[in-house]
Amino acid sequence: MLGLLAGCTSNPAPLIPEQSLFQVSTIDALLQGDYDGYTTLKELSAKGNFGIGTVDALDGELVVENGQFYQVKSDGKVYRPSADTKTPFASIVRFAPEDSVNLQNLNFDQFKLLVDSLMKSKNYFFAIRLEGNFELVHTRSVPGQQKPYPPLVVVTQNQPEFNLTETHGKLTGFYCPEFVKGINITGYHLHYLSDDKTSGGHLLNFRLKSGTLKLDKIQNFEMKLPESGSFQKTEYKTDRTEELKKVEG
Ligand SMILES: [Zn+2]
């Protein structure tokens, strides 16, 4: 028996931790105004080093780059939120890209078509990074809200938008498959952060001069649902597809 155990420990089977996309709350909860944060950035950082989201009371756009958290507020400036800051909606993964492609001269629509063609199937999650020199990055951020929280489609009617020109930086985000409708944003959802960490936001459009795309296919999905009373009581029957289109711009 002892010999068998010794044999097992001397030749351990390699345990490769499976990579998982970890998500806080659902997009439909955010759309209907559930902006109270309930997961700290410290907890989130245990789940990955690459991601996007927002923070408590919808106070700006969150970017997680190389394990560091950045908050692009509605004044257009980039802040470093503390580890005990809470998020009401975020997605994070341990980024391990399998594919890398050099790109030149394309806009967001052309980029989406290209990534569509690179994905082996559109029924997986993909973590996406595009780093490069941009002629233009058009972003928005959302202003922090006070209770009673208005729905997201009302908040984004007056969203500050930013036209960042001749900027070098990274787009970070995800492609989510159609079947997660109501849970996350289906299709492409990216946030930008300039390399000098002075500008960024939720991506609306871009024109890339040259850059590198990195893609990471993800097969596992993990969620943490809110504890709030409004989440517990809401009946999620409404189809918010059209609201989401307006919010995404
Ligand atoms: Zn966003």
Side-chain angles (χ1 to χ4, degrees):
M1 190 63 190
L2 278 173
L4 183 61
L5 279 174
C8 287
T9 49
S10 64
N11 290 303
L15 280 175
I16 301 166
E18 290 208 44
Q19 187 196 26
S20 184
L21 173 66
F22 177 77
Q23 177 179 330
V24 172
S25 191
T26 71
I27 189 65
D28 273 11
L30 195 75
L31 282 166
Q32 70 106 29
D34 232 327
Y35 307 144
D36 279 340
Y38 62 96
T39 300
T40 64
L41 301 186
K42 189 179 177 192
E43 289 173 80
L44 208 57
S45 64
K47 299 290 187 178
N49 58 1
F50 174 108
I52 54 176
T54 185
V55 297
D56 189 49
L58 201 70
D59 192 12
E61 310 283 348
L62 188 69
V63 187
V64 192
E65 208 178 88
N66 301 325
Q68 304 295 308
F69 288 80
Y70 302 91
Q71 177 186 8
V72 185
K73 290 197 191 185
S74 60
D75 61 5
K77 292 181 183 159
V78 180
Y79 297 80
R80 296 298 308 273
S82 66
D84 58 2
T85 301
K86 290 179 177 173
T87 174
F89 182 78
S91 303
I92 193 162
V93 72
R94 202 157 294 288
F95 193 52
E98 300 105 17
D99 293 313
S100 178
V101 183
N102 291 326
L103 302 178
Q104 279 188 327
N105 301 323
L106 79 178
N107 64 27
F108 192 19
D109 283 338
Q110 293 165 326
F111 174 79
K112 285 187 260 192
L113 287 174
L114 182 100
V115 179
D116 281 356
S117 72
L118 292 171
M119 294 186 301
K120 282 142 194 106
S121 164
K122 294 183 83 174
N123 294 332
Y124 296 109
F125 296 86
F126 286 84
I128 299 169
R129 150 91 17 102
L130 176 59
E131 175 174 9
N133 288 302
F134 295 84
E135 185 188 333
L136 172 77
V137 181
H138 181 197
T139 65
R140 71 110 193 272
S141 184
V142 277
Q145 299 297 304
Q146 290 179 344
K147 289 180 182 181
Y149 293 137
L152 192 54
V153 72
V154 173
V155 174
T156 55
Q157 278 168 7
N158 296 305
Q159 62 186 12
E161 296 186 12
F162 311 103
N163 284 305
L164 314 172
T165 54
E166 301 302 329
T167 173
H168 187 274
K170 298 179 187 72
L171 286 164
T172 295
F174 298 95
Y175 167 88
C176 291
E178 279 301 320
F179 56 77
V180 297
K181 179 180 159 216
I183 294 174
N184 205 319
I185 295 173
T186 61
Y188 296 87
H189 180 199
L190 300 163
H191 287 185
Y192 182 72
L193 185 65
S194 65
D195 277 347
D196 61 9
K197 313 291 192 264
T198 60
S199 59
H202 170 102
L203 180 74
L204 298 174
N205 206 348
F206 69 77
R207 283 199 301 274
L208 176 79
K209 291 205 275 192
S210 65
T212 305
L213 163 71
K214 290 184 176 169
L215 273 182
D216 183 8
K217 188 183 105 186
I218 300 153
Q219 274 180 259
N220 300 304
F221 185 52
E222 185 182 355
M223 288 177 75
K224 183 181 174 191
L225 296 172
E227 291 140 14
S228 69
S230 65
F231 180 79
Q232 290 172 18
K233 287 183 208 128
T234 301
E235 289 194 48
Y236 288 97
K237 287 181 177 171
T238 309
D239 186 331
R240 297 185 182 271
T241 306
E242 289 307 312
E243 270 179 56
L244 183 59
K245 272 187 198 161
K246 282 184 195 159
V247 164
E248 287 300 288

